Amino acid sequence: MAEKLVLDRPSLLLDIGNSSIKYAWYTFPEEIADLRIFRTSLDSIEALLEQAANCWLCSVVNEETSLFIAALCGKAKIPFHQTRTQAVQFDISNAYAQPQNMGADRWMVILAGAALRDRGEQTNFIVIDAGTAITCDFVVANKHLGGWIAPGLSMARTAVVSQTKRVFDQGQLLDTLTLGNDTPICVAQGALAQLSGMLLQACNIMQSYCSKYELYISGGDARVLISTLAKSENNSACVNINYVENLVLIGLAKIAHQNMAKND
């Protein structure tokens, strides 16, 4: 049965991450790459749902939060959809033998890469979501090859301080990779070096599969990593880097768009 929508209202897209909640509005058939991203809180979602035709959720937190939002959608009498990782979607095949082991947010990021790729000429791409944890995934000729998960900048710095004695961090935000000359600077630079090295390795590995590709990166640490790479003398492998404010929401918009196209 086709989903009945309130035609004069947009779809609400929700990205509930480890450290923040972001949302966007999507009205079919608008361009999904042009979403405006906003921040909100759990307490404010009910008011947003009053303006929505339906709700699309991607959440990495506890199931109770998803059930809470589903109940709010029921109260507002609008359809609720929660995304799950698939083995194949939009012709992208997942490298995981058990797709349910991949976080839905990571799958949305991969689908976002496919959506952005469809606007250009390259069929191959790397997607990086540099948040609390950083994820990196590789797609060549519609096949997800696999990827990495590692601590983000803040988590990496916290791990060093919490697991060692007489090592401390003062929280400096750095975007130039240099050699530290004091313990807090060494901690900050070490974390930045690790993540910058991860990006460089990703580009080097991708070049072993294909000569042309796009790299899409989003998340709270994205800009500092882009800035660091731009200043590096060894960044020749990392080309076509594209900053995207929120890849998860673009992935959600792609799914919402397809659903609405079927019902149009």
Side-chain angles (χ1 to χ4, degrees), residues 139-254:
V139 175
V140 174
N142 285 344
K143 183 178 181 181
H144 173 234
L145 303 179
W148 302 323
I149 304 173
L153 283 175
S154 178
M155 184 184 292
R157 292 166 68 161
T158 299
V160 172
V161 173
S162 64
Q163 298 297 317
T164 56
K165 295 181 180 179
R166 301 183 65 185
V167 175
F168 59 98
D169 185 8
Q170 294 178 342
Q172 293 97 327
L173 299 177
L174 308 175
D175 64 358
T176 301
L177 190 58
T178 61
L179 301 179
N181 55 12
D182 191 23
T183 294
I185 299 298
C186 289
V187 170
Q189 289 289 352
L192 188 58
Q194 282 186 317
L195 267 65
S196 300
M198 180 177 174
L199 265 66
L200 289 171
Q201 280 292 91
C203 295
N204 286 328
I205 288 176
M206 191 65 163
Q207 286 190 335
S208 71
Y209 287 98
C210 56
S211 59
K212 295 182 179 180
Y213 63 91
E214 297 286 336
L215 189 155
Y216 304 105
I217 180 170
S218 70
D221 291 340
R223 290 189 184 277
V224 68
L225 292 174
I226 292 172
S227 177
T228 301
L229 282 180
K231 297 172 184 177
S232 171
E233 296 180 359
N234 301 311
N235 64 356
S236 58
C238 283
V239 295
N240 299 326
I241 299 177
N242 306 275
Y243 171 76
V244 183
E245 187 173 359
N246 189 293
L247 287 165
V248 172
L249 288 173
I250 290 178
L252 274 175
K254 184 171 178 65

Side-chain angles (χ1 to χ4, degrees), residues 27 34 61 63 65 73 135 192 198 257:
T27 302
D34 296 331
V61 298
E63 189 65 22
T65 299
C73 288
T135 63
L192 188 58
M198 180 177 174
H257 177 95

Side-chain angles (χ1 to χ4, degrees), residues 1-250:
M1 180 187 296
E3 183 176 291
K4 185 177 180 181
L5 302 178
V6 182
L7 297 179
D8 60 343
R9 295 182 185 178
S11 294
L12 176 64
L13 314 176
L14 283 174
D15 168 22
I16 302 184
N18 291 302
S19 58
S20 64
I21 300 176
K22 301 183 183 72
Y23 74 94
W25 298 106
Y26 177 69
T27 302
F28 180 81
E30 291 178 355
E31 173 57 59
I32 64 176
D34 296 331
L35 297 176
R36 292 183 61 196
I37 313 300
F38 305 92
R39 289 179 178 268
T40 190
S41 65
L42 200 59
D43 292 338
S44 301
I45 290 176
E46 184 172 7
L48 294 174
L49 292 172
E50 293 175 357
Q51 308 169 53
N54 56 14
C55 176
W56 295 83
L57 171 68
C58 179
S59 174
V60 299
V61 298
N62 56 62
E63 189 65 22
E64 288 77 8
T65 299
S66 300
L67 294 173
F68 172 70
I69 294 173
L72 291 179
C73 288
K75 182 179 178 182
K77 295 182 172 56
I78 63 171
F80 169 77
H81 306 273
Q82 182 168 7
T83 58
R84 308 288 183 186
T85 302
Q86 305 295 319
V88 180
Q89 196 168 11
F90 301 115
D91 295 326
I92 302 292
S93 61
N94 196 324
Y96 274 35
Q98 296 179 303
Q100 67 273 16
N101 289 343
M102 176 186 284
D105 59 331
R106 192 168 156 206
W107 185 240
M108 290 305 101
V109 167
I110 293 171
L111 295 185
L116 295 171
R117 172 209 60 189
D118 290 344
R119 304 173 73 198
E121 299 178 354
Q122 299 303 326
T123 60
N124 314 310
F125 59 88
I126 301 171
V127 281
I128 295 173
D129 192 14
T132 304
I134 183 169
T135 63
C136 178
D137 285 280
F138 303 75
V139 175
V140 174
N142 285 344
K143 183 178 181 181
H144 173 234
L145 303 179
W148 302 323
I149 304 173
L153 283 175
S154 178
M155 184 184 292
R157 292 166 68 161
T158 299
V160 172
V161 173
S162 64
Q163 298 297 317
T164 56
K165 295 181 180 179
R166 301 183 65 185
V167 175
F168 59 98
D169 185 8
Q170 294 178 342
Q172 293 97 327
L173 299 177
L174 308 175
D175 64 358
T176 301
L177 190 58
T178 61
L179 301 179
N181 55 12
D182 191 23
T183 294
I185 299 298
C186 289
V187 170
Q189 289 289 352
L192 188 58
Q194 282 186 317
L195 267 65
S196 300
M198 180 177 174
L199 265 66
L200 289 171
Q201 280 292 91
C203 295
N204 286 328
I205 288 176
M206 191 65 163
Q207 286 190 335
S208 71
Y209 287 98
C210 56
S211 59
K212 295 182 179 180
Y213 63 91
E214 297 286 336
L215 189 155
Y216 304 105
I217 180 170
S218 70
D221 291 340
R223 290 189 184 277
V224 68
L225 292 174
I226 292 172
S227 177
T228 301
L229 282 180
K231 297 172 184 177
S232 171
E233 296 180 359
N234 301 311
N235 64 356
S236 58
C238 283
V239 295
N240 299 326
I241 299 177
N242 306 275
Y243 171 76
V244 183
E245 187 173 359
N246 189 293
L247 287 165
V248 172
L249 288 173
I250 290 178

